[in-house]
Amino acid sequence: MTELIRALGIVLAVEGLVFALAPRRIEQALALIAALPVETRRLLGLGALALGVALIALVGARG
């Protein structure tokens, strides 16, 4: 449970940093994503999910 809370804290810190340092870039990125077809967004989400799970598995196997 501690690791889950730590991971959530890291995600929130990185997301907050991006919003604090580049708010206009976030707006541009969101507009670009909104312009993509739904299926493309779904595939991007599945790709990010797969990459995240692979990274977690890799770290788990090494540690």
Side-chain angles (χ1 to χ4, degrees), residues 1 7 12 14 38 46 53 55 58-59:
M1 188 64 166
L12 289 172
V14 170
V38 173
L46 288 172
V53 169
L55 286 172
L58 180 66
V59 169

Side-chain angles (χ1 to χ4, degrees), residues 7-27:
L8 182 59
I10 291 169
V11 168
L12 289 172
V14 170
E15 291 289 331
L17 185 63
V18 171
F19 275 100
L21 295 179
R24 287 206 171 103
R25 288 286 208 188
I26 293 295
E27 290 175 5

Side-chain angles (χ1 to χ4, degrees), residues 39-51:
E39 281 302 314
T40 302
R41 285 183 270 168
R42 182 172 286 123
L43 288 173
L44 286 171
L46 288 172
L49 173 64
L51 180 60

